[in-house]
Amino acid sequence: MGTNGDIPTLIVLVLGDSSVGKTSFVHTVCHDQPLSSPPPVTVGCHIEIKLYERRDRHQNPNLFFIEFHDVGGSIQHKNSRSSMFYDEFHGIILVSDLTSRQSYDNLKEWLYEVIRYRSRQKLPTEFTPEVLQNFDIPLLLVHTKFNESNGTSLLNNSKSSNMTNNHSFSSSSLLPNYNRKTTLANFLNCDEIFIDCYSNKRFSIDTPNVAKLNSFFEKMIKKASVEPVEQLPQFDWFASENHYIH
Amino acid sequence: MSLLIDTIILIISEIVFFIGGYVFFVRQLSENYGVRNQIVILSFAVTFALSCMMFELIIFEILAVLELTSRYLHWLVGLYSMLFLLVFLIPFYIAYLLLNTIKIVRDFRLVLFFTLIAWCFYLYTFWKLGNPFPISNRHEFFSIEQCVSRVGIIGVTAMAILSGFGAVNCPYTYMTYFIKAVSDKDISDAQKRLKQVMEIVALKKKRIVTIEHENSLRAMASSFNSNNPWNYFRRTWNTCLTLQLTNQITSSYSNISLIKQDILTYEEIYSQLYNDFVDLQNIQQRIEYSKTFKGKYFHVLGHFFSLYCIWKIFISFINIIFNRVGKVDPVTKGIDLTIHYFNFEFDVQFYSQYISFILIGIIVVTSIRGLLITLTKFFYFISSSRSSNVIFLCLAQLMGMYFISSVLLIRMNMPAQYRQIISQGFGDLQFNFYHRWFDCIFLLSALFSIGILYLHYRSSQQSISLYDKNFEKIYA
């Protein structure tokens, strides 16, 4: 982890197709309020900083800078992206658009682009599940534009495909909606967030999403820190904005 | 009977072109943008197929393949349907889609009504467009000549603008990578610069976040203290504290706004540097590509093509100054020259047919290919996922007008005995005017693009010097 003074920095890559809402999402998370209008197309990489506070066992606040690298997704810049932005990061957020099925299908390709660059070997151009075996960087899926679509259309396809998935939900499940996951989230074994970045609700009171984001940050901190961090009990239904350990 | 055979042959070739246009559209253009609207795809493919049919008929005219009357008939059929598409159908659908996306009225019939009004307005401007030009000698309304003349004006303008820009851009890009060799060190330097700017921006944003965090902590602390109202001494002490606090907060706010301005400057420098970096990488890739066999071939071709572009600009300049519009096509002129200077005796009729066939064939194929590539690049440049339907329809319209006007201009390159089909099919148009107009707009567009390229070059130089200046300021 890099340090600025005495506050360590963690870098998060935000990837996704062009115009899915990465810049809006990062702005909402960092500044707690939506942008006034959709931002222009990101050229290169847009950086936003969030100060994340966690309290350890002695109630001492532990501050971390979370640096979001929001990488522009346009196709012309495909070749220049890798060597610039994929060198150093501690976590990846994959963003897709609920109104476009194509952007959800391309998430695998984004992840694969990063893996191919990092492994520095000649990997085949088709995505296969084996490449994920050595990959243990924390991931988070974000699906934007929740209000404009019938948001659960991606969940209806969770029965399909030949990927190994460890979910036992069938289409007649009685569990509430937010516990069902899309196929990709089950495949990658990570959390996902459904969000509308332009709603008037503040992000910090949107408790289930905040809890998932915070557990993602915790995973990154645990992985990145040199000394072992004590195990935080993951209680989803006791979620609050800062983790208090007694 | 022969008419039937000819018709069948032409219909088969039509279907081939239609499938080609459809496949091109689906693969190249709409691969990443998910256009599902069948009418858009159909109109694009139909326009493409009709244009190719017109070119095919010209080639058949030169080779004298089919019956004369059947060729003429199919020419008229193709022309009328093309005009119907370009003047009536596509603009109507564009207006309909635009009004749909604006979402003012919900009712389907009201939308159609407004579309009709917009379309009549479009027809009116289309009509008025042709009045100031000395196009045709006839003064009747609603004839084919009027339609074709106006479509020709728009198409010739578009063609000249594109050619002008291409003629300047091509030698410039070849020159930059003839002269400037991009080494690995250049690219790693550019990368280092970019990373440094990124770090500076990140540092400043962290500073802002820290200041805001401290402010909120202080605000929380002060709100705890001000809950004791009855101790006068403590109250004055608290007022002093809050005064000091407000001073600190206001000074930190002005700090924050200063820092935010700094960040904006750096982000501008960053995007310019990033664009340059992408350009450098493209040049390096092209240099690597040119080391392969296919690359060497294109490299040599590039030399010739640049010379041709420069010659073309020069010739159009001469044409305008000396008010010269050629009457004789280059094939006949070339043959005359060889007969005069080299004293060869050969059958003029026979050879001129084949030579002009080859020449026209090359021109047709390169112009179709060039247009499709330009359309693809242009589309990637301006596309957005919201309005891609409208953009596709505009591209289809542009393509149709471009092909009609290239048929008009190609007449110049053909020997007199083959011009008949075009002259008869298009009616009585002042063809010379079109050539003059093309030369004017071509020259203007070439000058304009020279200006733009020069500004682009200057601004990239400026951003590097700006970066150096700011960089020294930080570390000084």
Side-chain angles (χ1 to χ4, degrees):
Chain A
M1 295 192 275
T3 55
N4 171 43
D6 46 357
I7 305 183
T9 309
L10 294 170
I11 299 183
V12 176
L13 272 187
V14 181
L15 300 175
D17 276 354
S18 176
S19 303
V20 295
K22 302 182 287 289
T23 313
S24 314
F25 171 69
V26 167
H27 186 92
T28 311
V29 166
C30 294
H31 298 177
D32 210 20
Q33 61 189 2
L35 280 166
S36 48
S37 64
V41 173
T42 317
V43 172
C45 162
H46 187 71
I47 299 186
E48 293 276 355
I49 309 279
K50 179 176 167 68
L51 197 59
Y52 177 62
E53 210 178 314
R54 74 203 273 264
R55 292 174 188 275
D56 63 3
R57 148 187 313 249
H58 304 289
Q59 298 288 336
N60 294 332
N62 240 347
L63 292 176
F64 288 91
F65 277 129
I66 312 272
E67 188 175 316
F68 290 94
H69 284 196
D70 157 30
V71 175
S74 49
I75 309 172
Q76 296 109 304
H77 297 157
K78 197 175 162 85
N79 297 323
S80 16
R81 265 201 294 268
S82 321
S83 45
M84 276 295 306
F85 307 122
Y86 294 170
D87 271 325
E88 185 194 350
F89 54 89
H90 302 101
I92 302 182
I93 295 185
L94 295 170
V95 183
S96 84
D97 185 352
L98 279 172
T99 55
S100 149
R101 174 84 201 182
Q102 182 84 17
S103 63
Y104 172 75
D105 290 332
N106 282 345
L107 288 180
K108 287 201 299 290
E109 302 302 325
W110 282 101
L111 189 58
Y112 196 46
E113 197 178 306
V114 178
I115 295 179
R116 241 192 307 183
Y117 178 73
R118 293 277 282 207
S119 68
R120 302 209 194 275
Q121 296 161 1
K122 273 297 193 186
L123 291 180
T125 42
E126 284 300 311
F127 181 78
T128 48
E130 288 87 40
V131 299
L132 284 184
Q133 279 170 1
N134 299 332
F135 187 76
D136 55 351
I137 298 194
L139 288 171
L140 181 69
L141 293 183
V142 173
H143 305 286
T144 55
K145 304 191 190 165
F146 188 39
N147 61 332
E148 286 175 28
S149 65
N150 46 352
T152 52
S153 61
L154 287 176
L155 297 176
N156 295 334
N157 297 329
S158 52
K159 288 183 297 184
S160 67
S161 95
N162 43 5
M163 303 190 211
T164 55
N165 45 26
N166 50 5
H167 79 303
S168 53
F169 307 128
S170 63
S171 60
S172 59
S173 163
L174 295 176
L175 291 170
N177 250 354
Y178 62 79
N179 265 339
R180 292 175 60 193
K181 287 184 178 181
T182 58
T183 321
L184 192 61
N186 282 317
F187 176 61
L188 297 171
N189 208 7
C190 61
D191 269 333
E192 59 185 354
I193 290 182
F194 293 87
I195 190 174
D196 170 25
C197 299
Y198 288 99
S199 74
N200 292 325
K201 284 190 344 181
R202 286 175 45 207
F203 182 70
S204 47
I205 62 177
D206 183 7
T207 334
N209 285 339
V210 170
K212 290 180 190 168
L213 197 61
N214 286 339
S215 69
F216 171 67
F217 292 152
E218 292 294 332
K219 272 192 254 181
M220 280 201 311
I221 294 174
K222 186 169 79 166
K223 186 170 185 303
S225 52
V226 178
E227 66 274 0
V229 175
E230 44 254 291
Q231 277 289 334
L232 304 171
Q234 301 285 327
F235 296 129
D236 273 355
W237 54 90
F238 285 159
S240 59
E241 183 171 11
N242 295 320
H243 288 254
Y244 291 85
I245 309 166
H246 302 288
Chain B
M1 191 55 214
S2 62
L3 186 64
L4 192 62
I5 298 179
D6 295 343
T7 318
I8 291 181
I9 295 178
L10 277 176
I11 286 186
I12 291 179
S13 52
E14 267 293 284
I15 293 181
V16 167
F17 289 137
F18 180 79
I19 294 179
Y22 195 87
V23 163
F24 168 76
F25 187 86
V26 169
R27 288 274 174 79
Q28 295 279 95
L29 288 185
S30 82
E31 192 180 31
N32 294 311
Y33 299 98
V35 173
R36 308 247 176 260
N37 199 341
Q38 285 301 320
I39 302 188
V40 171
I41 306 181
L42 272 178
S43 43
F44 189 89
V46 166
T47 316
F48 183 73
L50 283 174
S51 327
C52 289
M53 183 174 88
M54 286 207 294
F55 281 131
E56 192 191 10
L57 280 174
I58 293 179
I59 294 187
F60 283 171
E61 172 88 12
I62 296 181
L63 292 180
V65 169
L66 304 174
E67 283 289 316
L68 185 70
T69 44
S70 63
R71 277 202 306 258
Y72 188 58
L73 179 67
H74 288 109
W75 177 265
L76 283 181
V77 163
L79 191 64
Y80 286 1
S81 39
M82 183 81 139
L83 283 177
F84 173 71
L85 263 182
L86 285 182
V87 177
F88 296 115
L89 196 64
I90 293 188
F92 185 77
Y93 202 59
I94 288 181
Y96 179 71
L97 280 180
L98 275 177
L99 285 176
N100 251 350
T101 52
I102 293 183
K103 285 196 174 74
I104 296 180
V105 282
R106 303 271 165 188
D107 195 4
F108 176 68
R109 281 170 309 199
L110 268 181
V111 169
L112 236 105
F113 180 62
F114 279 126
T115 317
L116 270 173
I117 293 185
W119 182 59
C120 292
F121 184 66
Y122 158 79
L123 279 180
Y124 179 70
T125 31
F126 187 68
W127 206 255
K128 279 289 175 199
L129 199 65
N131 278 346
F133 295 108
I135 299 176
S136 80
N137 297 324
R138 306 244 285 258
H139 296 283
E140 306 164 0
F141 267 8
F142 293 134
S143 60
I144 287 295
E145 285 90 15
Q146 302 281 1
C147 270
V148 173
S149 60
R150 281 162 175 78
V151 168
I153 291 275
I154 301 179
V156 165
T157 315
M159 225 175 119
I161 292 180
L162 282 178
S163 311
F165 180 70
V168 169
N169 194 31
C170 170
Y172 176 74
T173 43
Y174 277 111
M175 250 179 8
T176 45
Y177 87 83
F178 288 165
I179 295 182
K180 177 161 72 162
V182 173
S183 63
D184 278 337
K185 184 173 179 308
D186 289 334
I187 290 198
S188 61
D189 276 348
Q191 259 184 340
K192 260 189 268 180
R193 261 185 249 141
L194 275 173
K195 287 206 169 129
Q196 273 164 350
V197 176
M198 256 170 71
E199 271 171 22
I200 294 178
V201 169
L203 262 172
K204 290 195 183 288
K205 288 203 170 166
K206 283 178 190 168
R207 186 99 192 89
I208 290 187
V209 165
T210 330
I211 292 181
E212 282 176 354
H213 183 73
E214 283 169 9
N215 281 346
S216 66
L217 280 182
R218 271 194 224 120
M220 270 195 338
S222 77
S223 71
F224 281 146
N225 284 337
S226 59
N227 279 339
N228 293 329
W230 49 70
N231 195 332
Y232 183 70
F233 179 69
R234 207 181 265 192
R235 238 185 303 154
T236 37
W237 180 243
N238 283 337
T239 350
C240 292
L241 259 185
T242 32
L243 255 179
Q244 200 187 29
L245 178 65
T246 356
N247 278 341
Q248 272 177 337
I249 289 187
T250 32
S251 69
S252 62
Y253 276 159
S254 61
N255 270 353
I256 286 186
S257 53
L258 273 176
I259 300 184
K260 278 192 179 159
Q261 270 182 346
D262 258 352
I263 289 183
L264 280 175
T265 329
Y266 276 107
E267 279 184 345
E268 291 232 352
I269 299 180
Y270 177 77
S271 37
Q272 183 68 37
L273 282 181
Y274 187 75
N275 282 331
D276 290 340
F277 174 68
V278 170
D279 285 338
L280 277 182
Q281 277 221 323
N282 284 340
I283 293 180
Q284 197 198 33
Q285 268 180 351
R286 252 211 298 212
I287 291 182
E288 273 178 26
Y289 175 70
S290 75
K291 298 206 170 81
T292 69
F293 193 58
K294 218 164 64 156
K296 282 207 178 72
Y297 165 71
F298 278 120
H299 195 87
V300 167
L301 216 62
H303 277 102
F304 284 123
F305 200 60
S306 317
L307 281 174
Y308 172 70
C309 291
I310 297 181
W311 177 78
K312 207 152 173 289
I313 296 181
F314 187 60
I315 280 289
S316 69
F317 192 57
I318 300 261
N319 273 347
I320 292 186
I321 289 192
F322 292 131
N323 209 11
R324 173 176 80 109
V325 179
K327 297 250 183 243
V328 187
D329 62 295
V331 177
T332 323
K333 223 177 352 184
I335 292 184
D336 284 344
L337 275 176
T338 50
I339 289 184
H340 277 148
Y341 284 111
F342 297 116
N343 284 330
F344 281 163
E345 305 276 333
F346 59 94
D347 190 357
V348 177
Q349 275 300 95
F350 183 67
Y351 279 110
S352 81
Q353 187 180 22
Y354 278 107
I355 293 179
S356 53
F357 160 68
I358 292 177
L359 184 70
I360 298 291
I362 291 179
I363 291 181
V364 162
V365 167
T366 46
S367 74
I368 291 184
R369 181 178 170 273
L371 178 74
L372 289 180
I373 290 180
T374 314
L375 280 186
T376 317
K377 270 196 261 188
F378 192 58
F379 178 70
Y380 279 151
F381 186 65
I382 63 171
S383 73
S384 73
S385 49
R386 293 228 164 238
S387 55
S388 37
N389 280 338
V390 176
I391 292 181
F392 276 131
L393 280 179
C394 290
L395 286 182
Q397 171 126 11
L398 198 67
M399 183 174 74
M401 293 190 171
Y402 182 91
F403 282 135
I404 284 192
S405 52
S406 61
V407 165
L408 254 169
L409 291 177
I410 234 179
R411 180 185 163 275
M412 175 67 166
N413 286 329
M414 304 198 318
Q417 65 265 32
Y418 304 124
R419 291 182 188 170
Q420 179 203 13
I421 191 172
I422 300 184
S423 317
Q424 270 189 350
F426 278 167
D428 191 14
L429 288 182
Q430 299 270 38
F431 289 104
N432 295 333
F433 166 73
Y434 285 104
H435 289 287
R436 177 65 52 76
W437 181 249
F438 178 86
D439 280 334
C440 280
I441 302 282
F442 178 76
L443 207 60
L444 275 177
S445 140
L447 287 173
F448 196 61
S449 21
I450 288 180
I452 287 187
L453 283 176
Y454 178 66
L455 284 178
H456 183 253
Y457 175 74
R458 273 278 298 275
S459 81
S460 74
Q461 296 293 98
Q462 245 178 14
S463 75
I464 293 188
S465 62
L466 194 63
Y467 163 83
D468 287 334
K469 207 166 48 162
N470 274 326
F471 189 61
E472 278 159 22
K473 200 168 67 171
I474 297 287
Y475 283 79

